Amino acid sequence: MNVLSRLETRGIPYLRALFQSSSIKYLTLLAGVASLGSIFGMASDSMYGVSNQINLIAYWHIGLATAAAVALTVTFLGCALYLATETPFWEFLAHSSGEVGFLMVTLTLVTGSVWGKVIWNSWWEWTDIRLVTFLVIWFIYAGYLLIYSAGGDSASLKRITSVYGIVGFVTVPLSYLSTRLWTPTFHRPTTGNPDADATITVPALLLSIAALLLVYLYLVGSRVQLRELKRRVNYARRDRTLDDHAMGPSQGGD
């Protein structure tokens, strides 16, 4: 049995069971409460030499950016698996993860702008490579969702959208590596950078990231289940229509 066959026979049932598990909902709630408690109870509000409560938004900003990266990576993998197998589940997973990822990219941009106004006295800065490349991600995945929504049930357009989702993914690692590949205006690397002057309370940040990853998992699971339910309903309606057409002539002959 090859890798794709194992994914089909083991991976899909496992993911369905995960998405249907009620424990995800409770874990998401628990992690969210713990994250809020840690951010407002222990997180530092002093960053880049500025002490302000608005700095606490950084913990959601970074968490949202991390969850967005995970979501768009899942979209990339789902698109690749759909092209390889044409199994509807992978298409549903790719699109659902793209929807949630796009939402998180949007919220990352919004929270970053609010935070940046306090820290750098600017809502936006076109010279900052991270901001510009992240905006490119937003446009790329807005295009992905628009193309998908225009396709309906067209199999050919689903394949085109999947190719788009694979090619467009190159913008994601490019944006996340941009501050190391080019000189940033604002977003200087903090990991592995001894000159970084941002103060982050690590436990609060890790809790925020965990909470937002669980929010992502809950949302994408709900979307996949909804898509599969809609597909079953559509099949049931189609079968009923076919049965009605098949019975119609015979009843008329009587």
Side-chain angles (χ1 to χ4, degrees), residues 42-58:
M42 62 182 285
S44 171
D45 65 355
S46 177
M47 295 184 187
Y48 298 102
V50 177
S51 293
N52 192 306
Q53 284 291 309
I54 199 65
N55 283 324
L56 298 179
I57 205 172

Side-chain angles (χ1 to χ4, degrees), residues 16 46 70 80 88 94 100 102 152 165 218:
R16 283 183 176 139
S46 177
V70 171
V100 179
F102 179 75
Y218 175 72

Side-chain angles (χ1 to χ4, degrees), residues 97-117:
S97 193
E99 289 178 315
V100 179
F102 179 75
L103 172 63
M104 290 183 164
V105 168
T106 303
L107 292 175
T108 301
L109 290 170
V110 171
T111 55
S113 293
V114 173
W115 183 31
K117 179 60 177 174

